[in-house]
Amino acid sequence: MIIGLTGKNGSGKGEVARYLEERGFHYYSLSDVLREAAQKEGLEVTRENLIEIGNRLRSERGPGVLAEAIFSRLDPEKHYIVDSIRHPSEVEVFRRRRDFFLAQVKAPQRLRFERIKQRAREKDPITFEEFVAVEEKEGVSSERAHQQLDKTITLADIVFDNAGPLKMLHEQVKEVLLSLSKKEERPDWDNYFMGIAKVVALRSNCMKRKVASVITKDKRIIATGYNGTPRGVKNCFEGGCPRCNNIEASGKSLEECLCSHAEENAIVQSAYHGVKIKGSTIYTTFSPCLMCTKMIINAGIKEVVYNVSYPMSEVSLRLLEEAGVLIRKLELVQN
């Protein structure tokens, strides 16, 4: 999961981040992007400079630019904590992941000022009046590209109240983690197998189209196949198929194509290794052509699940239906 942090200065976002880091979360801060930019420009890394650089980058490249820089680094297999989210457009970027949650850390203004004084960072406000003035400047701006912290806070999915001892804050974070973990969505079997088929397609050596199939039985993969030239023949992208390398128009000169189809390869591989596929389900990234349809029927496959319709598949689908083979089109769920 990805937990984004927002909140006023001195609220305790850093403490939440430290707690999560100790529990395996990988830390990023949108301020890191600003620090990198400041160093490249030879500027001192101060709060004022970072705010100015952030406003400039948002004006030049769009209000979500800082989030985009971090989003591109995220591995879907890891948990992340992302600090310093200060603009609604940054939230929009991270919401492209269904496992993103925005957390606000809040505390009373006077208490936050006392914390700022205790940490005694250079350039931090010295008086309460200076502290309030800086906070108002960061909270609201008539410029769309400037920080919009107040609006960002209203988008929070979670609120951590840091008005008490750290133990109380840590307990809140722990409870939220347990709650979110219970809500974590796993792919169903259809999306699981079709997702694997999408990865198998990356092994295709065909120049024209990358297609793959996965044959399953009892929720277990028993064969895979992708399109390309036959075993022992030069790969299509290396010149092995004259038709593909001639860049023929789609649907033309198919009788000259040397590439085997994904469904064909999955079925043939099963026979090659002596694996029974009668009564199985085949997941294929494209609906089968007529040749593969006949192979599917005669192999005893009971169900075809496909993701994208093949341009010339009407006859194939009618034939599968007539033969009593179940057919389903599956739209993949995006994370």
Side-chain angles (χ1 to χ4, degrees):
M1 69 181 74
I2 306 168
I3 296 180
L5 289 179
T6 190
K8 301 285 187 175
N9 196 17
S11 59
K13 300 186 297 297
E15 188 56 45
V16 173
R18 275 190 292 274
Y19 182 86
L20 290 170
E21 273 194 283
E22 290 171 357
R23 282 145 187 85
F25 279 69
H26 297 263
Y27 177 82
Y28 276 118
S29 171
L30 269 61
S31 296
D32 292 339
V33 181
L34 301 178
R35 292 187 185 94
E36 291 168 7
Q39 290 168 359
K40 285 181 181 178
E41 296 178 23
L43 298 174
E44 184 183 0
V45 179
T46 64
R47 191 174 186 84
E48 291 76 13
N49 283 343
L50 295 184
I51 291 173
E52 189 279 325
I53 292 170
N55 292 340
R56 174 158 45 85
L57 287 176
R58 293 188 193 96
S59 297
E60 294 172 354
R61 304 181 196 175
V65 60
L66 304 182
E68 293 286 3
I70 298 299
F71 190 83
S72 64
R73 306 175 191 179
L74 302 184
D75 184 338
E77 297 179 0
K78 295 177 181 177
H79 291 320
Y80 289 96
I81 182 74
V82 181
D83 198 1
S84 304
I85 297 178
R86 297 188 176 97
H87 197 285
S89 292
E90 295 165 351
V91 179
E92 288 178 19
V93 170
F94 289 111
R95 289 218 192 276
R96 298 206 298 258
R97 285 273 296 267
R98 296 191 307 155
D99 55 356
F100 171 77
F101 305 93
L102 181 66
Q104 176 203 359
V105 186
K106 71 173 187 177
Q109 193 174 48
R110 275 286 178 183
L111 177 58
R112 290 189 287 105
F113 174 62
E114 292 303 319
R115 290 173 180 164
I116 292 295
K117 286 203 306 182
Q118 288 174 16
R119 75 185 186 190
R121 288 181 187 170
E122 190 179 358
K123 306 291 186 181
D124 270 344
I126 297 174
T127 67
F128 182 69
E129 290 71 25
E130 290 175 337
F131 176 77
V132 172
V134 171
E135 192 159 280
E136 289 176 352
K137 183 179 178 180
E138 293 181 356
V140 182
S141 174
S142 58
E143 296 290 334
R144 179 175 177 272
H146 288 194
Q147 285 188 185
Q148 304 283 349
L149 187 54
D150 289 352
K151 288 183 179 179
T152 305
I153 285 171
T154 65
L155 301 175
D157 307 295
I158 305 156
V159 177
F160 294 127
D161 187 345
N162 190 24
L166 280 179
K167 184 178 179 181
M168 184 184 299
L169 177 64
H170 293 166
E171 282 299 317
Q172 292 177 64
V173 179
K174 180 179 178 180
E175 287 177 13
V176 165
L177 280 182
L178 290 172
S179 174
L180 293 180
S181 295
K182 290 174 184 176
K183 294 178 182 178
E184 194 169 357
E185 294 186 31
R186 300 166 65 200
D188 60 25
W189 288 108
D190 280 343
N191 278 275
Y192 174 70
F193 289 130
M194 190 65 78
I196 291 173
K198 289 281 189 181
V199 175
V200 174
L202 300 176
R203 281 288 302 167
S204 167
N205 68 61
C206 182
M207 290 179 58
K208 297 285 286 184
R209 180 184 283 122
K210 294 186 180 295
V211 186
S213 293
V214 171
I215 300 177
T216 71
K217 195 169 185 179
D218 299 326
K219 296 183 174 62
R220 184 170 58 89
I221 295 173
I222 56 177
T224 64
Y226 51 83
N227 61 325
T229 47
R231 180 184 284 109
V233 176
K234 187 185 297 184
N235 286 326
C236 177
F237 63 78
E238 295 173 329
C241 178
R243 184 257 176 186
C244 291
N245 281 266
N246 197 34
I247 317 297
E248 284 285 357
S250 296
K252 296 285 185 68
S253 305
L254 294 177
E255 70 281 357
E256 298 176 9
C257 184
L258 301 186
C259 290
S260 298
H261 290 190
E263 302 94 328
E264 175 188 1
N265 270 334
I267 293 170
V268 170
Q269 285 298 312
S270 300
Y272 184 84
H273 293 287
V275 178
K276 295 180 181 180
I277 60 174
K278 182 180 178 181
S280 63
T281 296
I282 186 167
Y283 290 83
T284 182
T285 56
F286 277 79
S287 57
C289 70
L290 184 56
M291 179 189 70
C292 290
T293 292
K294 291 183 285 187
M295 294 183 71
I296 287 168
I297 294 169
N298 286 338
I301 293 173
K302 68 176 183 179
E303 184 178 25
V304 174
V305 184
Y306 67 94
N307 180 224
V308 178
S309 297
Y310 184 67
M312 298 173 288
S313 62
E314 296 85 358
V315 176
S316 300
L317 297 178
R318 285 201 302 269
L319 191 61
L320 287 167
E321 187 175 356
E322 182 180 345
V325 177
L326 298 175
I327 316 158
R328 289 190 291 122
K329 183 175 183 179
L330 175 69
E331 299 292 343
L332 280 173
V333 174
Q334 299 298 323
N335 284 328

